[in-house]
Amino acid sequence: MPTAEPSKAIDRRSFYIDGKWVAPQGTAEIPAIEAATGEVIGVAALGSEADLESAITAAHAAHTRGEWANTSPAERAEVLHRFADALAARGDATSELATRENGMPIGLSQAFNGQAPAHLLRQYADLAADFDFEEIRPSAQGATIVRREPVGVVGVITPWNYPQAKALISIAPALAAGGTVVLKHSPDTALDPYVIGEAAEEAGLPPGVLNIVLADREPASLLTRHPLVDKIAFTGSTASGERVGAEAGRRFKRMTLELGGNSAAIVLDDVDLDAFVTGIATAAFMNNGQTCTGQWRVLAPRARYDEIVAALAEWASTQTIGDPLDPAVTIGPLANERQLNKVRGHIADATADGGRLVYGGKQPEGLTRGWFIEPTVFADVANTHRIARADLFGPLVAVIPYTDENEAVALANDSDYGLAGSVWTTDEQHGIDIARRIRTGTIGVNYYLNDFYAPFGGVKGSGIGRELGPEGFQEFLEYKTIYASSALLPD
């Protein structure tokens, strides 16, 4: 088990603002708690509105100077590749630190906290280097230049579940587009995001282009209200997204809101049950179920309902629960005590609503420290039950019966959310046909895993805008139209 002693090496008592590490303007601090032990591993300063004001001012000044936006895309790409190299060199240590903070199994953390950030920087650096930022079109009076420019100052507000990847999903395209950034990360992963600042400094990113301040919700709302912030990129719960959207909307800010969900995994009659049970680990239980795309509703045909419930219970019973730094562990702790209590509340609600607890729902035997709970399977759940309507964010699934495919599609679409989903069948083309009928931003057939080169985002209460792929890059650009003479047109 990792050491429970606080390490000065991971204390974070300064912020990265205007290319420098600066002392906070207040005295508030927060302990960083190890998810597997419940013990302190470091301390971080909590920023005030004054700290965020400094960061916003620095980002705006950098954008106004144009030192970054006016460099060529190829020059920006060169700096971003150095940034990526610096992050990659820190990847192993960053992965371990993030796992200690939020309980993510170390193999997953190495992928999303150690490798993905550098990959995203390189991906968007290369995309920008080849991107046509101006296009000349013929017009009735001569020619029109359609120009795409950086949106300006971007406020990036990130969650604790994938702290490094979620930060760079917004930071990388914003910087590649020529924008400047203020990152406000979650107090529940207070330590690891500062590695991003260290890597940016090493790469030679100009002062003010990237700024990093840790703050609670109230001071952080300055980002959504401030007139010098041009866009908000937010990931979090739907309830928080509603507040962010309302505040940012009053200033007519551009927004990307990646919010909550309770997606459906539709199991068809002809399913390969072994493939489904193997795939559910990613579709529903990835990162201990703390993934916004979690398919916590399993829609099962009545003809195979008992078989599917039994298979899920068997899978849950074979998982290795424990220290997330152990590569053999498949289910680690939840990120914090608040999250554990929330999941326990969902389990209590499901029982009260008449759901049948098939497996799990308890603290694992022998794990008395940290925020652990067994992977949990409920049967006999109706789509109207609270467990089928809430953003669960934990290692549990509710199995809901259906009679025919039309009912399965109706049940999947009967949700306030629309972020993810999956269809499980031996007839892939038929699965694709079913997938086309589901109102959701993303959906997989016989597996679910995000593709960094394709757009990701939700509909309904799961948000607006898109991340990833070329579409995610263009979220950080504004159009400008310049009317000019026909002399600009090619012969």
Side-chain angles (χ1 to χ4, degrees):
M1 187 68 70
T3 178
E5 291 299 319
S7 168
K8 291 185 179 180
I10 55 174
D11 283 356
R12 295 294 188 178
R13 289 189 162 95
S14 59
F15 302 131
Y16 186 63
I17 299 175
D18 205 20
K20 302 181 291 293
W21 293 97
V22 301
Q25 298 184 48
T27 59
E29 293 184 336
I30 187 172
I33 308 297
E34 184 162 17
T37 66
E39 297 180 359
V40 174
I41 58 171
V43 175
L46 272 177
S48 62
E49 281 201 3
D51 296 301
L52 282 161
E53 180 72 41
S54 295
I56 293 166
T57 300
H60 177 70
H63 179 64
T64 301
R65 289 194 305 269
E67 180 183 1
W68 181 247
N70 294 334
T71 59
S72 71
E75 290 173 312
R76 290 200 298 271
E78 187 177 327
V79 177
L80 294 181
H81 274 282
R82 293 201 302 267
F83 192 177
D85 292 343
L87 279 178
R90 295 163 168 80
D92 288 345
T94 305
S95 302
E96 180 175 330
L97 178 56
T99 285
R100 296 181 72 189
E101 290 178 291
N102 72 2
M104 180 185 289
I106 188 62
L108 191 67
S109 190
Q110 287 167 342
F112 282 93
N113 296 310
Q115 299 167 14
H119 174 92
L120 287 160
L121 281 167
R122 293 179 180 126
Q123 173 183 333
Y124 284 106
D126 294 343
L127 189 156
D130 294 332
F131 190 76
D132 188 359
F133 284 85
E134 285 194 354
E135 175 190 352
I136 301 175
R137 303 176 186 175
S139 70
Q141 301 299 319
T144 298
I145 302 169
V146 179
R147 176 174 168 81
R148 278 160 286 198
E149 299 179 340
V151 71
V153 177
V154 180
V156 177
I157 304 174
T158 56
W160 47 260
N161 59 332
Y162 292 85
Q164 292 282 314
K166 287 303 301 182
L168 269 299
I169 279 173
S170 295
I171 291 172
L175 296 183
T180 61
V181 172
V182 177
L183 170 64
K184 200 297 293 182
H185 55 288
S186 169
D188 290 307
T189 43
L191 305 176
D192 71 89
Y194 289 107
V195 173
I196 299 169
E198 293 171 352
E201 186 177 35
E202 181 179 314
L205 206 65
V209 171
L210 175 63
N211 308 272
I212 304 174
V213 175
L214 177 67
D216 273 332
R217 177 187 296 170
E218 290 308 314
S221 71
L222 182 66
L223 280 170
T224 62
R225 295 182 279 110
H226 203 290
L228 298 184
V229 176
D230 301 290
K231 176 180 169 68
I232 293 293
F234 172 84
T235 301
S237 70
T238 298
S240 295
E242 289 174 351
R243 289 191 295 271
V244 168
E247 289 179 346
R250 280 192 284 270
R251 287 280 182 180
F252 304 105
K253 297 184 191 298
R254 295 274 297 277
M255 285 180 274
T256 303
L257 306 179
E258 198 266 277
L259 308 178
N262 187 332
S263 302
I266 303 174
V267 185
L268 300 185
D269 280 314
D270 65 347
V271 65
D272 178 336
L273 203 52
D274 289 339
F276 165 66
V277 170
T278 299
I280 202 68
T282 301
F285 290 94
M286 190 164 77
N287 194 18
N288 316 322
Q290 297 172 133
T291 300
C292 54
T293 57
Q295 285 134 66
W296 301 304
R297 290 183 296 151
V298 175
L299 308 184
R302 294 184 186 277
R304 300 189 68 180
Y305 186 80
D306 291 341
E307 181 185 5
I308 291 165
V309 169
L312 285 167
E314 172 65 20
W315 177 88
S317 72
T318 63
Q319 299 310 294
T320 302
I321 310 170
D323 177 3
L325 292 174
D326 180 348
V329 165
T330 57
I331 301 286
L334 297 181
N336 51 60
E337 187 174 17
R338 182 183 68 256
Q339 192 64 19
L340 176 60
N341 289 335
K342 181 185 291 186
V343 170
R344 285 173 171 164
H346 292 316
I347 291 170
D349 286 344
T351 303
D353 286 340
R356 173 167 56 95
L357 180 61
V358 179
Y359 183 86
K362 306 185 302 297
Q363 180 176 334
E365 187 175 344
L367 293 173
T368 57
R369 300 192 304 164
W371 297 297
F372 291 93
I373 196 162
E374 296 171 327
T376 301
V377 178
F378 272 95
D380 303 340
V381 173
N383 209 49
T384 54
H385 287 182
R386 284 170 287 183
I387 195 174
R389 313 303 296 184
D391 184 359
L392 301 182
F393 231 66
L396 63 163
V397 294
V399 190
I400 301 170
Y402 70 84
T403 302
D404 58 33
E405 290 180 358
N406 286 334
E407 184 185 12
V409 169
L411 289 170
N413 288 333
D414 180 17
S415 173
D416 295 331
Y417 303 110
L419 186 59
S422 57
V423 183
W424 303 84
T425 173
T426 54
D427 183 345
E428 183 177 49
Q429 186 55 57
H430 183 57
I432 292 170
D433 291 340
I434 295 292
R436 290 188 173 114
R437 298 172 63 188
I438 308 305
R439 191 173 179 222
T440 188
T442 63
I443 189 165
V445 178
N446 294 324
Y447 76 98
Y448 184 90
L449 190 65
N450 290 146
D451 175 0
F452 279 8
Y453 294 90
F456 171 76
V459 298
K460 299 188 282 186
S462 292
I464 58 174
R466 290 296 180 266
E467 300 173 332
L468 298 175
E471 295 80 4
F473 176 65
Q474 294 188 53
E475 293 273 350
F476 295 90
L477 296 170
E478 285 280 16
Y479 282 92
K480 176 187 284 183
T481 299
I482 303 174
Y483 308 118
S485 74
S486 58
L488 293 172
L489 293 173
D491 294 335

